[in-house]
Amino acid sequence: QVQLVESGGGLVQAGGSLRLSCAASGGTFSSYAMGWARQAPGKEREFVARISWSGGSTYYANSVRGRFTISRDNAKNTVYLQMNSLKPEDTAVYYCAAATSTHSLDRTAYWGQGTQVTVSS
């Protein structure tokens, strides 16, 4: 069973950047597809980025495409989310998730505890 721990959240001004990290343990990291999801107050959780086990395939929500980049380092058991040109509407708790495929992330039971990202205007 994989355990996930996010870090790197914080307060940033609009237009700024943050890099989130998610460290995995307890499983074979390189066999998992990974994703980043976020949940803003009063809204449902939504996936913003997904990456295949090899890193060869990535998927983005329309709201972040061109601004966010997901990547992974299988040697370090870590997945990253580079967030540039941040907007106030990006404010949310960001979670990482693991699953056997990018398509099954929506049904996964493997979630981190979340890290808060706040973008001020």
Side-chain angles (χ1 to χ4, degrees), residues 31-94:
S31 68
Y32 287 100
M34 301 295 295
W36 286 96
R38 68 186 181 187
Q39 187 166 22
K43 296 188 177 181
E44 293 187 356
R45 187 159 53 187
E46 61 166 349
F47 273 96
V48 296
R50 307 170 192 240
I51 188 166
S52 61
W53 64 270
S54 67
S57 297
T58 56
Y59 307 90
Y60 298 94
N62 289 336
S63 57
V64 307
R65 187 175 290 112
R67 301 188 297 121
F68 290 11
T69 303
I70 189 171
S71 61
R72 66 189 298 159
D73 185 338
N74 286 346
K76 295 183 178 179
N77 290 355
T78 302
V79 62
Y80 306 98
L81 185 68
Q82 178 66 44
M83 305 186 294
N84 298 329
S85 302
L86 282 161
K87 304 175 181 180
E89 51 263 44
D90 294 318
T91 295
V93 178
Y94 283 73

Side-chain angles (χ1 to χ4, degrees), residues 91-104:
T91 295
V93 178
Y94 283 73
Y95 300 88
C96 73
T100 54
S101 73
T102 54
H103 299 293
S104 60

